[in-house]
Amino acid sequence: MNYRRLAALAILALPLLSPCLQAESRVVEKLDRGLVALRQDDGKVWLSWRLFSADADASFRIYRRVGSAAATCVGESSGKAGTWFVDTKAPRDSALSYEVRAVLAGRELDASGSFMLASGGSSPYLRIPLQVPAGGTGDKGRPFTYEANDGSVGDLDGDGRLELILKWSPTNAQDNSRTGRTANTYIDAYTLDGQQLWRIDLGRNIRSGAHYTQFMVADYDGDGRAEMICKTADGSIDGRGKLIGDADADHRSESGHVVAGPEFLTVFDGRSGAALDTVAYVPTRHPSIQDPTGEQLKAVWGDGYGNRSERYLAAVAYLDGKLPSAVMCRGYYTRATLAAWDFRNGRLSLRWSFDSDDGKPGHKAYRGQGNHNMSVADVDGDGRDEIVYGSAVYDDNGEGLYSTGWGHADAMHVSDLVPSNPGLEVFNIQERFSGEGLNMRDARTGKPIFTIPSVKADTEGGDKGEGPGRGVAFNVDPRHPGSECWARGAGMSGMYSSTGARISEKSPRSCNFAVWWDGDYLRELLDGNRVSKWNWRDSSETVLLSAEGASSNNGTKSTPVISGDILGDWREEVVLRSTDNTELRIYTTTIPTRHRHVTLLEDSQYRLALAWQNTTYNQPPHPSYMLEEPAD
């Protein structure tokens, strides 16, 4: 009996769209090939597409259609090659349409998605035109405009293609610690073809700034189409123009903060932006809705004007191992509160909540242990996700799994960072001068793998008030197993191995995002509008992409709208706004790779990282496994 042929035929029986087999019990989006085409300077067309785990050793045939003519095969990629192709004979002055068809066991399957390429010149990116909200005159007569800010992705209409969801931030947005009334925050949805699907106006009672609005996009009810969940308030308006709450209510204080009035949580339909359900927001700022003096807030949070109580985090997690839930969080400097929400059968329901200050045994240990960001991972391997909240981890049932007691931090990375340690690890930095300034721990138990102290500078102009502000863990040097680590600030210098050994006196200038870009399994460095390669042999850097005319977001954070494997093969895209905010630009690599690798979106931890990436101090996505590149 030919078992290989039987296996191939079994694969043929699978749906043509990816079932994302990494976690069989999880209901996940079914994607098309994500085919992308870019015309290069020499007139040739670069194409790449997704490989699914169900593809086995499939080969691929590439078809081109010129105008309305019939599609013709222009090449084939073997079952051993990477999922990319260069069309060397593409007509320069014609609109082209491409599709790829998998060939399994000698049988050519139907195409899954196509890509339209307009006639014209070359471009290193895809353009998505934007509808820029109108600016105006704000607090104290100061003018403001709008900038395209953080983004997310999701299949909003169930066709297998990802759409982009975008937050618009006014130029008078404020940090929690600062005063000033802000203009409204908007959230848009766009297809990759540039069609605006809807716009949601969060209204004047949601303050604009990095810490106030995180929008979680996922298919919460498993119907094949993604929804969006975020915090709303009196005066919010959904994508169809329907009001939420009281249009006349104004809960802003004279300082511009919003620390009173009702709070809501709303789930929006991905296709239309219509509000599907709205409930009272949990976790609450305080049982008392009205607190004009701020004394109750101060007693609970440590201040009465919203610097601590209005700092929000959010994520998406598979808490039951089957369908995603939205995890909405409030506070991390002092009190820490979390609430998990399900959207099933058209209704939002509270799965669980946690409060570090509710007096329950053991809960106080979780006070003050949150980051400016969070991550989601199945740290104990039971098929259900845990919430990595910085220096603490919460189990899938909402109970604390452990707290290190190391306190608040700014940057965190979770993956299989240390190959010699079983399971996942958490790399973190502490926003204070301490023995754990830069640290690595076992994700399941919290046991330290290494800690490196931060040092307060005693020279004028040195670090004074805080510990390191940035830290990263990326695989950039093949001579050392796992991810290399480095940090900025508080006397931190040099580069460390995944187990804490100092391996270099120099480290990259960038201490921010990372992308898989140039074709090997080492990650490249993304900072602002540049992608750079760390040359481990001589500790130098080479710029691979300089996105002229495009800008990053969030001031000195210099983060993209979103970055991840959203198109093409397993390498990652970088989405930036044009400097004039009239378009989004999706940059995708056109460098050949010898690696044939399934799309990173099939890894649940990685896919969820794209959902939480827009949370506060954005962090890059990591899969649950390590990609190692052998040293030559």
Side-chain angles (χ1 to χ4, degrees), residues 157 223 276 459 617:
D157 54 13
D223 68 351
L276 299 176
T459 58
Y617 288 3

Side-chain angles (χ1 to χ4, degrees), residues 242-260:
K242 183 179 178 181
L243 174 70
I244 297 172
D246 181 356
D248 297 325
D250 187 347
H251 304 296
R252 297 171 297 175
S253 68
E254 291 185 3
S255 67
H257 293 90
V258 182
V259 293

Side-chain angles (χ1 to χ4, degrees), residues 26 377-386 388 393-397 401-402 423-424 442-445:
R26 297 191 177 201
D378 180 9
V379 304
D380 55 11
D382 65 356
R384 300 182 297 273
D385 290 325
E386 279 70 50
V388 186
V393 172
Y394 298 87
D395 207 350
D396 55 80
N397 61 4
L401 191 62
Y402 67 82
L424 303 173
D442 181 87
R444 181 179 64 86
T445 65

Side-chain angles (χ1 to χ4, degrees), residues 146-151 166-167 169 171 470 510 512-513 526-531 546-563 574-581 583-585 587 613 618:
Y146 276 90
E147 294 180 344
N149 192 249
D150 295 336
L166 175 70
K167 181 174 78 172
S169 183
T171 52
R470 298 197 179 190
S510 172
N512 197 358
F513 263 58
L526 170 61
D527 192 16
N529 64 350
R530 298 201 313 177
V531 174
S546 182
E548 301 299 330
S551 297
S552 57
N553 293 336
N554 301 312
T556 59
K557 300 296 183 292
S558 300
T559 51
V561 171
I562 189 172
S563 181
V574 177
V575 183
L576 298 170
R577 62 184 174 92
S578 62
T579 302
D580 63 4
N581 294 291
E583 65 184 20
L584 293 182
R585 298 179 177 181
Y587 292 85
Q613 189 180 133
N618 306 4

Side-chain angles (χ1 to χ4, degrees), residues 174-179 207 211-212 257 305-307 311:
Q174 295 291 352
D175 185 80
N176 301 58
S177 62
R178 298 179 179 178
T179 61
R207 199 172 191 235
H211 300 281
Y212 296 102
H257 293 90
Y305 64 96
N307 187 34
R311 290 181 181 266

Side-chain angles (χ1 to χ4, degrees), residues 518-552:
D518 72 349
D520 62 29
Y521 279 156
L522 300 176
R523 267 185 134 172
E524 282 64 62
L525 304 169
L526 170 61
D527 192 16
N529 64 350
R530 298 201 313 177
V531 174
S532 302
K533 178 74 172 180
W534 175 249
N535 302 310
W536 48 270
R537 289 185 175 88
D538 60 6
S539 298
S540 66
E541 294 178 49
T542 301
V543 176
L544 303 182
L545 171 69
S546 182
E548 301 299 330
S551 297
S552 57

Side-chain angles (χ1 to χ4, degrees), residues 333-417:
Y333 289 145
T334 54
R335 181 188 184 194
T337 60
L338 298 81
W341 290 91
D342 295 339
F343 178 65
R344 313 284 190 261
N345 301 314
R347 291 289 180 264
L348 285 164
S349 62
L350 184 65
R351 173 175 285 268
W352 51 252
S353 62
F354 180 95
D355 186 347
S356 65
D357 291 17
D358 61 7
K360 293 182 180 179
H363 283 198
K364 190 175 182 180
Y366 294 82
R367 180 180 171 89
Q369 301 304 307
N371 271 28
H372 284 301
N373 35 68
M374 61 193 297
S375 186
V376 173
D378 180 9
V379 304
D380 55 11
D382 65 356
R384 300 182 297 273
D385 290 325
E386 279 70 50
I387 309 303
V388 186
Y389 206 62
S391 294
V393 172
Y394 298 87
D395 207 350
D396 55 80
N397 61 4
E399 291 299 318
L401 191 62
Y402 67 82
S403 172
T404 66
W406 293 345
H408 166 73
D410 275 11
M412 178 175 65
H413 303 267
V414 181
S415 184
D416 185 10
L417 304 171

Side-chain angles (χ1 to χ4, degrees), residues 77-314:
S77 175
S78 76
K80 302 296 182 182
T83 53
W84 58 270
F85 179 80
V86 178
D87 185 0
T88 60
K89 299 179 180 180
R92 288 176 177 264
D93 299 320
S94 301
L96 307 177
S97 175
Y98 288 93
E99 61 186 33
V100 293
R101 303 175 188 174
V103 180
L104 279 166
R107 177 185 171 190
E108 182 179 279
L109 307 183
D110 291 338
S112 172
S114 62
F115 188 90
M116 297 291 297
L117 182 64
S119 61
S122 63
S123 176
Y125 54 83
L126 305 179
R127 290 182 172 90
I128 299 179
L130 299 176
Q131 303 299 317
V132 186
T137 301
D139 196 21
K140 298 181 180 179
R142 299 186 180 117
F144 68 88
T145 57
Y146 276 90
E147 294 180 344
N149 192 249
D150 295 336
S152 189
V153 291
D155 183 4
L156 302 179
D157 54 13
D159 66 353
R161 301 186 72 195
L162 295 175
E163 280 74 47
L164 275 163
I165 300 87
L166 175 70
K167 181 174 78 172
W168 288 98
S169 183
T171 52
N172 62 4
Q174 295 291 352
D175 185 80
N176 301 58
S177 62
R178 298 179 179 178
T179 61
R181 291 192 173 188
T182 70
N184 297 4
T185 295
Y186 298 97
I187 300 177
D188 285 2
Y190 294 89
T191 69
L192 295 183
D193 298 325
Q195 178 188 359
Q196 184 186 32
L197 298 179
W198 42 259
R199 170 168 291 168
I200 293 166
D201 179 359
L202 294 183
R204 61 189 174 195
N205 291 309
I206 296 289
R207 199 172 191 235
S208 295
H211 300 281
Y212 296 102
T213 293
Q214 292 87 44
F215 48 103
M216 295 297 106
V217 179
D219 180 9
Y220 294 100
D221 56 5
D223 68 351
R225 300 184 300 271
E227 295 81 32
M228 190 270 286
I229 292 177
C230 71
K231 187 174 185 283
T232 57
D234 281 334
S236 296
I237 300 174
D238 76 2
R240 287 187 170 177
K242 183 179 178 181
L243 174 70
I244 297 172
D246 181 356
D248 297 325
D250 187 347
H251 304 296
R252 297 171 297 175
S253 68
E254 291 185 3
S255 67
H257 293 90
V258 182
V259 293
E263 302 175 283
F264 307 128
L265 185 71
T266 301
V267 55
F268 297 92
D269 180 75
R271 292 171 296 181
S272 66
L276 299 176
D277 194 28
T278 296
V279 296
Y281 186 84
V282 176
T284 61
R285 62 171 66 96
H286 192 272
S288 172
I289 292 177
Q290 299 295 336
D291 182 17
T293 66
E295 289 304 311
Q296 295 179 61
L297 283 178
K298 185 175 181 180
V300 173
W301 296 97
D303 69 75
Y305 64 96
N307 187 34
R308 292 169 174 83
S309 65
E310 306 309 301
R311 290 181 181 266
Y312 300 92
L313 301 172

